[in-house]
């Protein structure tokens, strides 16, 4: 019979030590520019050694250490600054990100030239992993835009249509209306106006009822339709709101073909509707999305990528003041506090610098991969996934995911979240470059929209048409894409055409 016993055994192994400071440096990548500005503002108030970067005129003396991004914001792909171990440390996978940081490892440090963040204290600076929670820090009333994007995530759309929808959402004003010229929007995106209107109709099904309308009449009509009250009489009343404003009840009775009592009930019902559904989120909650990156076309047809410097917090550590108060510290508590403030200020300066360079690097690669979209429109989206970008820039996929979340790029075709540029792919029939699944869906939709009553394309016929264009795809895949876009079968379309 085996005997049970206890013994003490020592084992040696290697592993990445994720200090609280390193964890927070990585989490800074996930914050959008508004949340980052709020976080930095709190640190400026908390740390007496930090102050805003207000550069003196050239030639002036300055004892302070500036915290500017080493990547020139106006020189795309300028990554000539030496890559330190801190640069690599910020690029960690999810497992390393959330690995336990045992207290006895808090003093560990990289001897290969890394910035030693592990000694940054827990007290004064508040950078400890237990003290700072990105989600809690960003807690605030949800904006209308965020509310609509949450619903968009649940909508079955292709990535091309999703980009159109995201752009329309960003065009919504505080009232919840889309007042933009849809023809100009369609031209900018490289699609037809009918396609934009079809996507807008899907968005008008979102909550709150009436949102994404193009005007008051459409807003009220959407709400009435949702309540199943948009009968011909009520539709006539909504179409003639100017007469209601003039109290021309006789004219309204004639147009609506109702008596005075019915008209009064209809008016009362109209008054119970919400004319500005977006205001339910507060007048200051629908803050405009500020792009993190700008993309512009150069005269030679290439694309310039630059950071939006207006959204980059610029802070520095006042070395002169740090030396002054360090020399006057007497007690151990005072010295500890000054040390913590110094280390935390240095950490924030380096982390902001690295965050800016990382965003620029990833955005530049995405633009390089999706330049056809910028030049021709959503039908030209290329296959792209996190791994492709991660391999190209020498980062982990999870780092690219953090960088592209809640980060926006302003392009000649509109404002888009970086994550929308990632798509799946379909192989080319001739072994050439793969096609984006979204681009293939777009082609299927275009083929069907070009149908006539005498030529309705079956799924097999669409397969043959795509194959002639060099796109190899199965019939069941065509059927799946068609159904995902809510397009009826060829039999149903033929019947609809005849009607």
């Amino acid at each position: 019979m085996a005997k049970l016993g206890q013994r003490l055994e020592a084992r040696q192994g290697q592993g990445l030590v994720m200090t609280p400071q390193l964890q927070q440096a990585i989490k800074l990548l996930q914050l959008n520019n508004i949340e980052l500005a709020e976080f930095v503002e709190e640190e400026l108030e908390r740390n007496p050694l930090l102050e805003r970067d207000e550069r003196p005129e050239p030639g002036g003396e300055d004892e302070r250490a500036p915290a500017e991004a080493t990547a020139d914001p106006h020189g795309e792909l300028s990554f000539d600054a030496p890559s330190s171990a801190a640069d690599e440390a910020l690029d960690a996978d999810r497992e390393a990100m959330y690995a336990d940081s045992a207290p006895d490892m808090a003093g560990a440090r990289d001897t290969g030239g890394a910035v030693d963040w592990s000694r940054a204290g827990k007290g004064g600076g508040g950078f400890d992993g237990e003290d700072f929670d990105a989600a809690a820090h960003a807690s605030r009333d949800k904006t209308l835009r965020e509310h609509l994007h949450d619903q968009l995530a649940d909508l079955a759309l292709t990535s091309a249509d999703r980009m159109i929808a995201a752009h329309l959402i960003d065009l919504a004003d505080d009232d919840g209306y889309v007042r933009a010229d849809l023809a100009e929007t369609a031209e900018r995106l490289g699609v037809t106006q009918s396609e934009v209107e079809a996507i807008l109709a899907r968005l008008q099904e979102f909550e709150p009822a009436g949102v994404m309308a193009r005007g008051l009449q459409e807003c009220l009509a959407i709400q009435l339709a949702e309540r199943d009250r948009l009968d011909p009489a009520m539709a006539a009343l909504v179409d003639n709101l100017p007469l209601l404003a003039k109290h021309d009840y006789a004219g309204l009775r004639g147009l609506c073909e109702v008596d005075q009592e019915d008209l009064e009930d209809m008016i009362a019902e109209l008054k119970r509707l919400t004319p500005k559904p977006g205001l339910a989120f507060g007048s200051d909650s629908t803050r405009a999305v500020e792009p993190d990156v700008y993309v512009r076309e150069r005269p030679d047809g290439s694309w310039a990528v630059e950071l939006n410097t207006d959204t980059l917090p610029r802070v520095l550590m006042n070395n002169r003041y740090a030396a002054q108060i360090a020399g006057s510290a007497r007690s151990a508590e005072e010295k500890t506090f000054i040390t913590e403030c110094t280390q935390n200020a240095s950490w924030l300066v380096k982390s902001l610098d690295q965050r800016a360079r990382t965003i620029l690097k990833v955005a530049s690669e995405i633009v390089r991969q999706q330049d056809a979209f910028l030049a021709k429109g959503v039908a030209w989206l290329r296959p792209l996934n996190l791994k492709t970008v991660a391999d190209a820039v020498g980062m982990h996929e999870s780092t690219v995911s953090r960088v592209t979340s809640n980060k926006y790029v302003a392009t000649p075709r509109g404002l888009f979240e970086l994550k929308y540029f990632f798509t799946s792919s379909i192989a080319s029939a001739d072994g050439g470059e793969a096609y984006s699944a979204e681009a293939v869906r777009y082609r299927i939709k275009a083929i069907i929209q070009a149908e006539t009553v005498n030529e309705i394309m079956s799924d097999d016929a669409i397969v043959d048409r795509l194959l002639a264009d060099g796109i190899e795809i199965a019939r069941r895949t065509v059927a799946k894409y068609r159904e995902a876009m809510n397009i009826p079968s060829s039999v149903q379309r033929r019947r609809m055409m005849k009607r």
Side-chain angles (χ1 to χ4, degrees):
M1 180 180 292
K3 294 183 179 180
L4 300 177
Q6 293 181 334
R7 65 177 179 176
L8 185 63
E9 186 176 288
R11 294 183 180 180
Q12 185 175 2
Q14 286 185 328
L16 176 62
V17 177
M18 291 295 293
T19 66
Q21 291 70 38
L22 182 52
Q23 290 186 34
Q24 302 318 317
I26 294 175
K27 286 182 180 180
L28 282 186
L29 289 175
Q30 297 175 260
L31 299 181
N32 62 34
N33 46 41
I34 296 175
E35 294 164 348
L36 181 67
E38 292 173 352
F39 174 74
V40 170
E41 189 66 29
E42 291 177 4
E43 293 308 315
L44 285 168
E45 295 178 1
R46 180 158 40 194
N47 194 329
L49 301 185
L50 280 173
E51 56 187 65
R52 300 185 191 283
D53 184 3
E54 298 175 353
R55 241 36 104 67
E57 293 297 325
E61 294 184 1
D62 191 7
E63 296 288 337
R64 301 171 296 179
E68 63 178 0
T70 54
D72 180 4
H74 297 289
E76 66 288 350
L77 299 176
S78 298
F79 302 107
D80 299 329
S83 176
S84 67
D87 187 5
E88 299 176 359
L90 280 179
D91 179 39
D93 60 22
R94 185 175 182 84
E95 289 72 20
M97 172 69 180
Y98 295 102
D100 292 334
S101 263
D104 59 346
M105 289 189 173
R109 66 195 67 176
D110 190 335
T111 58
V115 177
D116 182 9
W117 292 332
S118 60
R119 296 180 59 191
K122 296 183 178 181
F127 288 113
D128 179 63
E130 299 296 325
D131 294 339
F132 175 70
D133 181 358
H137 170 78
S139 60
R140 50 178 170 78
D141 294 337
K142 182 175 288 188
T143 68
L144 174 64
R145 182 174 290 107
E146 290 168 341
H147 180 63
L148 295 175
H149 275 293
D150 287 346
Q151 297 175 78
L152 176 61
D154 298 329
L155 201 61
L157 292 175
T158 66
S159 288
D161 287 347
R162 190 174 298 279
M163 292 183 77
I164 297 173
H167 185 62
L168 290 174
I169 288 174
D170 290 338
L171 292 177
D173 61 19
D174 289 348
D175 296 336
Y177 292 145
V178 178
R179 307 183 191 275
D181 188 317
L182 296 188
E184 292 181 1
T185 300
E187 183 180 0
R188 187 184 310 119
L189 296 176
V191 296
T192 64
Q193 183 174 344
S194 61
E195 289 175 292
V196 174
E197 290 173 346
I199 297 299
L200 182 60
R202 301 287 300 276
L203 298 180
Q204 289 175 348
E205 299 172 0
F206 286 1
E207 293 292 335
V211 75
M212 302 299 292
R214 284 166 284 187
L216 177 60
Q217 292 180 340
E218 188 173 46
C219 177
L220 299 178
I222 292 171
Q223 296 179 58
L224 289 167
E226 185 186 62
R227 302 182 183 192
D228 197 21
R229 284 291 294 117
L230 192 60
D231 53 37
M234 188 63 82
L237 176 60
V238 172
D239 289 340
N240 293 277
L241 292 179
L243 294 182
L244 180 59
K246 296 177 181 178
H247 305 288
D248 186 355
Y249 301 124
L252 289 173
R253 286 196 301 270
L255 291 169
C256 299
E257 299 181 354
V258 296
D259 57 25
Q260 183 63 29
E261 184 178 356
D262 286 340
L263 180 62
E264 290 176 357
D265 290 341
M266 292 165 59
I267 294 174
E269 184 171 3
L270 208 61
K271 290 181 178 180
R272 289 193 291 269
L273 302 179
T274 306
K276 298 180 179 181
L279 294 186
F281 293 82
S283 59
D284 62 343
S285 63
T286 52
R287 292 173 287 185
V289 173
E290 288 288 338
D292 300 87
V293 179
Y294 287 111
V295 176
R296 57 181 175 80
E297 187 175 8
R298 293 196 188 95
D300 62 359
S302 62
W303 300 97
V305 184
E306 57 188 32
L307 291 171
N308 181 1
T309 55
D310 292 339
T311 64
L312 294 177
R314 300 180 60 174
V315 297
L316 48 81
M317 184 174 68
N318 192 326
N319 292 328
R320 174 181 293 175
Y321 183 58
Q324 179 181 344
I325 61 175
S328 61
R330 296 293 181 264
S331 66
E333 183 178 356
E334 290 175 346
K335 293 179 180 178
T336 299
F337 174 76
I338 294 172
T339 299
E340 290 173 347
C341 288
T342 302
Q343 292 168 339
N344 288 330
S346 176
W347 169 85
L348 182 59
V349 165
K350 292 178 174 66
S351 295
L352 290 176
D353 166 74
Q354 180 57 32
R355 179 184 182 274
R357 291 194 290 121
T358 303
I359 291 174
L360 182 60
K361 193 172 186 179
V362 171
S364 297
E365 179 59 23
I366 292 175
V367 169
R368 190 182 73 82
Q369 295 278 355
Q370 298 290 11
D371 60 341
F373 158 77
L374 296 172
K376 301 179 181 179
V378 294
W380 297 86
L381 280 169
R382 289 173 178 165
L384 187 64
N385 55 36
L386 291 172
K387 186 177 186 306
T388 301
V389 173
D391 291 344
V393 298
M395 295 180 181
H396 195 275
E397 291 178 46
S398 62
T399 303
V400 175
S401 178
R402 294 185 193 102
V403 170
T404 55
S405 179
N406 296 316
K407 309 299 187 303
Y408 287 83
V409 54
T411 75
R413 295 198 175 275
L415 184 71
F416 301 101
E417 192 170 359
L418 285 172
K419 68 179 181 181
Y420 290 142
F421 289 97
F422 295 105
T423 68
S424 56
S425 62
I426 294 174
S428 170
D430 58 6
E433 184 179 6
Y435 293 89
S436 162
E438 285 66 43
V440 174
R441 292 188 186 102
Y442 183 88
R443 292 195 185 202
I444 292 172
K445 182 192 292 187
I447 290 172
I448 293 174
Q449 287 177 339
E451 290 177 337
T452 65
V453 67
N454 296 322
E455 185 184 8
I456 302 297
M457 304 285 289
S458 66
D459 290 344
D460 286 320
I462 293 175
V463 169
D464 293 339
R465 176 73 64 83
L466 292 174
L467 187 59
D469 293 336
I471 303 173
E472 186 174 4
I473 186 172
R475 187 201 63 79
R476 62 179 179 275
T477 305
V478 170
K480 181 180 71 173
Y481 287 173
R482 174 178 54 74
E483 291 169 359
M485 293 183 288
N486 295 317
I487 297 176
S489 67
S490 58
V491 175
Q492 293 172 313
R493 298 199 306 276
R494 185 173 291 107
R495 290 172 182 168
M496 293 169 61
M497 280 281 195
K498 290 181 178 179
R499 288 199 298 266

